[in-house]
Amino acid sequence: MTTKPSKKRKPAPESSSAPQSGGIFWTIDGHLTPPSFLTLIAVPLILSGKFLYGGVILAIAMLVAIQIAMTQIKEEEKQAIRYNILEPDDIIAELEELEEAKQQSAESNEMTDTDKTKCLACLSALAMKHKRINNEGNKTFPLLCQQAAYLTLRLLPKDSEAVGSSIALLALVAKNEEVRQRNKYQADVYGLDRPIQGLQAVLEMAKKEQDEEREGELAETLRKGCLFFGALSDNDKDLNLSTTIVEEEGLELILDIANWFRFHEEIANWSMWAIFILCYDCIQNKVELIRLAGVTTVCSLLENNATSLEVTRHCIAILYDLLREGNTEAGKKYNYDPWAVRTQALAAGLHNTVVKAMNEFSDSMDIMMMGQEMLLGTGYRGDIPQFQQI
Ligand SMILES: *[C@@H]1O[C@H](CO)[C@@H](O)[C@H](O)[C@H]1NC(C)=O
Ligand SMILES: *[C@@H]1O[C@H](CO)[C@@H](O)[C@H](O)[C@H]1NC(C)=O
Ligand SMILES: *[C@@H]1O[C@H](CO)[C@@H](O)[C@H](O)[C@H]1NC(C)=O
Ligand SMILES: *[C@@H]1O[C@H](CO)[C@@H](O)[C@H](O)[C@H]1NC(C)=O
């Protein structure tokens, strides 16, 4: 029998109102809070007939409980409301102030919970403004979003929530040309190493996490990470950010994520999309993908999520793109070895998986065409499924 961890840990109704700072009736470490203590005193009084005393104490318990609830709700909501009305420049100023404070207290490197709440509220306020302001075509706003995300990554480099919000914001502005230029030419401040290291830390946490719900949140951050890498190198003609991502070990990270969450359909979808974008038209990255045994990962994801059209399409496109890269000039320069792809792919069961995918999606023109060519090109001798128009 298997019991899922999240079932065991479902929070009791009383404590769910304030998961961060303990509940109204219990503190985080399981002690009684004043309201529950008072209630415990009141019950025997009422039972023994002393209704007046019991009633009064109960009433006090209620008041204290309400007050605790008010202050707990207030702190986060207050921040959110405050930042929602602030101008973007002022939000940046707040974050810079936090950074300055952190630098001055160099010995206590930990951020307080309040400061962290502020950071997160800043980022979510910017993400909310993004929709509105971006539509007006404001040029500086995406740069401010990037700046805020990097400030947060510097303040809380290993905090999963901070990394998650920063990556989400960075993914929103990743297609902006000036944002990309900063990633390239001001790498000391806006280098891609920071988000990559943040995501590496999140992946390490996800590997250790027992709680299913928490693991799901971390997985969502990692999915956004894949989306971010893909968005950053999509349609990037001149800056070669895709090579920079790979040099900073971004490809290794994506493969790690894909291998760890190999049964997670959305991660499979977005990690394979990112790999396709990173490697398309870029021979260096293809060489690196092969060196990292990426072909094996792609084949195993293709097999694991054989019923997902998008995962299948992305995986097949990557393999097709790798296999068709023959002995081109660029290939020779970078020692590209199409036989290595073939060997890795065949060892990972390419023929079987591709035939299965073609049977499953025999109405999808692109999967059928790429699949057929791959099978022919790698010496498959069985029957090749035929395209079926519906
Ligand atoms: C763009 O947004 C920034 C930050 O909100 C603001 O300071 C600036 O005036 C805006 N520019 C335009 C042209 O709207
Ligand atoms: C991008 O890569 C191409 C080919 O490798 C190279 O010619 C070009 O100079 C690079 N651009 C930048 C900005 O590094
Ligand atoms: C899969 O990825 C593509 C990006 O190519 C995206 O458009 C699509 O919405 C994704 N599907 C799912 C189910 O996440
Ligand atoms: C993806 O794979 C997992 C595990 O094999 C499976 O539970 C899930 O249903 C699959 N999803 C699709 C759409 O194939």
Side-chain angles (χ1 to χ4, degrees):
M1 209 194 83
T2 55
T3 43
K4 295 184 176 167
S6 70
K7 294 236 170 76
K8 279 183 282 180
R9 295 219 205 160
K10 270 269 159 3
E14 303 98 304
S15 59
S16 65
S17 59
Q20 308 258 298
S21 38
I24 293 170
F25 295 103
W26 301 96
T27 61
I28 257 178
D29 43 8
H31 292 106
L32 287 178
T33 57
S36 9
F37 181 66
L38 289 172
T39 312
L40 279 187
I41 296 181
V43 171
L45 284 174
I46 292 177
L47 289 182
S48 61
K50 299 191 173 128
F51 294 113
L52 181 60
Y53 290 122
V56 168
I57 292 179
L58 261 188
I60 294 175
M62 296 285 281
L63 282 176
V64 176
I66 289 171
Q67 206 216 340
I68 292 177
M70 294 282 285
T71 50
Q72 279 177 355
I73 293 166
K74 259 195 212 151
E75 196 44 46
E76 291 184 4
E77 290 212 334
K78 247 185 344 201
Q79 301 284 6
I81 293 169
R82 194 162 152 257
Y83 290 113
N84 282 339
I85 50 176
L86 275 187
E87 286 296 317
D89 309 82
D90 298 326
I91 295 180
I92 299 286
E94 290 264 336
L95 285 170
E96 279 173 338
E97 217 168 84
L98 286 176
E99 185 174 48
E100 221 166 83
K102 189 189 174 192
Q103 279 163 355
Q104 277 167 5
S105 65
E107 72 280 359
S108 65
N109 244 335
E110 291 290 300
M111 293 264 291
T112 63
D113 278 353
T114 329
D115 288 348
K116 183 181 144 184
T117 311
K118 271 191 201 168
C119 270
L120 295 179
C122 285
L123 293 190
S124 79
L126 286 174
M128 274 170 57
K129 284 179 203 292
H130 179 269
K131 283 190 202 128
R132 187 166 47 86
I133 300 188
N134 200 37
N135 290 340
E136 293 162 11
N138 185 316
K139 285 240 163 60
T140 53
F141 184 69
L143 295 174
L144 290 181
C145 289
Q146 186 188 31
Q147 192 180 354
Y150 271 86
L151 274 164
T152 306
L153 284 174
R154 281 201 295 277
L155 285 166
L156 296 155
K158 296 224 155 92
D159 181 278
S160 64
E161 286 175 274
V163 172
S165 306
S166 310
I167 296 291
L169 198 54
L170 287 176
L172 281 177
V173 298
K175 300 208 170 199
N176 182 284
E177 192 54 32
E178 284 165 69
V179 165
R180 289 178 174 184
Q181 295 208 346
R182 271 181 172 177
N183 287 136
K184 179 89 185 176
Y185 298 115
Q186 297 180 44
D188 49 337
V189 187
Y190 295 108
L192 292 173
D193 50 338
R194 268 183 204 284
I196 289 175
Q197 283 159 13
L199 288 166
Q200 281 166 343
V202 172
L203 177 61
E204 288 315 306
M205 280 179 237
K207 287 183 179 174
K208 296 196 191 97
E209 185 59 60
Q210 298 289 316
D211 186 287
E212 230 172 74
E213 208 171 299
R214 273 281 297 151
E215 193 190 11
E217 286 162 20
L218 298 174
E220 174 56 15
T221 296
L222 296 169
R223 182 192 72 84
K224 286 223 182 85
C226 295
L227 192 162
F228 166 60
F229 294 132
L232 206 52
S233 30
D234 200 10
N235 279 325
D236 169 29
K237 299 242 161 40
D238 321 311
L239 291 174
N240 303 340
L241 281 177
S242 62
T243 359
T244 317
I245 292 171
V246 174
E247 279 161 10
E248 299 286 354
E249 300 185 354
L251 182 59
E252 211 169 336
L253 172 66
I254 298 175
L255 287 170
D256 269 355
I257 295 172
N259 281 324
W260 182 257
F261 286 103
R262 59 188 175 282
F263 295 118
H264 191 301
E265 189 189 344
E266 283 182 24
I267 289 200
N269 182 32
W270 288 100
S271 60
M272 291 302 108
W273 176 71
I275 288 181
F276 177 77
I277 305 270
L278 283 175
C279 292
Y280 188 77
D281 241 3
C282 182
I283 196 92
Q284 294 125 284
N285 289 355
K286 287 192 175 109
V287 171
E288 187 65 9
L289 180 69
I290 295 163
R291 193 185 71 77
L292 294 168
V295 178
T296 312
T297 303
V298 175
C299 287
S300 78
L301 289 199
L302 183 56
E303 190 165 1
N304 285 340
N305 270 108
T307 54
S308 159
L309 172 63
E310 315 220 44
V311 175
T312 302
R313 183 177 276 146
H314 293 153
C315 289
I316 295 232
I318 296 172
L319 294 172
Y320 178 78
D321 187 35
L322 286 173
L323 282 164
R324 90 182 153 161
E325 192 88 57
N327 289 322
T328 54
E329 276 306 301
K332 281 184 193 133
K333 198 169 136 209
Y334 287 95
N335 286 326
Y336 186 78
D337 180 6
W339 281 92
V341 185
R342 208 179 136 132
T343 319
Q344 266 187 43
L346 289 180
L350 177 81
H351 286 165
N352 246 335
T353 335
V354 169
V355 169
K356 249 195 248 161
M358 289 172 76
N359 280 324
E360 178 79 30
F361 299 109
S362 55
D363 58 331
S364 161
M365 178 79 93
D366 46 357
I367 290 180
M368 294 307 277
M369 276 172 52
M370 290 188 285
Q372 181 176 7
E373 252 187 73
M374 277 198 285
L375 290 176
L376 289 174
T378 53
Y380 177 68
R381 291 179 200 277
D383 287 336
I384 296 181
Q386 296 299 312
F387 176 65
Q388 316 265 334
Q389 198 142 25
I390 315 184

